[in-house]
Amino acid sequence: MADKRTLKKQIRFVCGDLAAECSMARHIIPGIDREKMADVIRKIAELQTTSLARATFAFDKTPADFASLREFKAARHAYYKAAYDQLKEQFNNEVEKIVHMMNAALPGREAAKAE
């Protein structure tokens, strides 16, 4: 499990790389649907904003709620691991949707979608 700082850096890097790919594709690939790519870039910005906001979660129990400090630490670790895994799964699902949107904007993809 990564710490929050590393997690937020990874989210920024992934979203930045996706946006850069879209921006480059808009200018380099002839016949690309520029409006769809602009929508994809907006979707990436939204994903980054929401993911960074969701990266902050807090364990709502105190050591007094447990029989021992060891149990508290185990429960806290399990909570953070579950929260991190859920955030990672949601983020990856959204990235997958964005990649499909990017591919749909490429020229010649309309014929492929019809099949």
Side-chain angles (χ1 to χ4, degrees):
M1 183 171 75
D3 63 348
K4 186 173 24 173
R5 183 178 191 178
T6 303
L7 175 63
K8 287 184 173 189
K9 281 183 181 182
Q10 290 172 345
I11 290 170
R12 286 186 190 102
F13 286 147
V14 169
C15 291
D17 287 347
L18 285 171
E21 287 290 328
C22 291
S23 182
M24 259 193 329
R26 280 183 71 191
H27 297 290
I28 293 175
I29 299 174
I32 197 165
D33 189 340
R34 291 174 168 269
E35 196 58 40
K36 281 185 182 178
M37 282 307 233
D39 290 339
V40 171
I41 292 171
R42 281 189 284 278
K43 182 78 172 164
I44 293 167
E46 178 184 324
L47 173 64
Q48 179 174 325
T49 303
T50 58
S51 295
L52 289 174
R54 283 188 274 165
T56 301
F57 22 78
F59 187 57
D60 60 348
K61 307 247 187 244
T62 65
D65 295 332
F66 295 89
S68 69
L69 187 59
R70 183 182 200 126
E71 289 178 16
F72 168 73
K73 288 182 179 182
R76 185 178 64 183
H77 177 75
Y79 172 82
Y80 281 115
K81 181 165 177 26
Y84 174 77
D85 289 344
Q86 181 182 13
L87 175 65
K88 187 170 76 169
E89 182 181 337
Q90 291 172 346
F91 183 77
N92 288 339
N93 289 340
E94 288 298 316
V95 167
E96 189 175 315
K97 289 176 188 176
I98 287 171
V99 169
H100 286 293
M101 290 171 62
M102 290 167 65
N103 288 336
L106 294 174
R109 296 302 287 183
E110 293 79 24
K113 281 194 275 181
E115 294 176 4

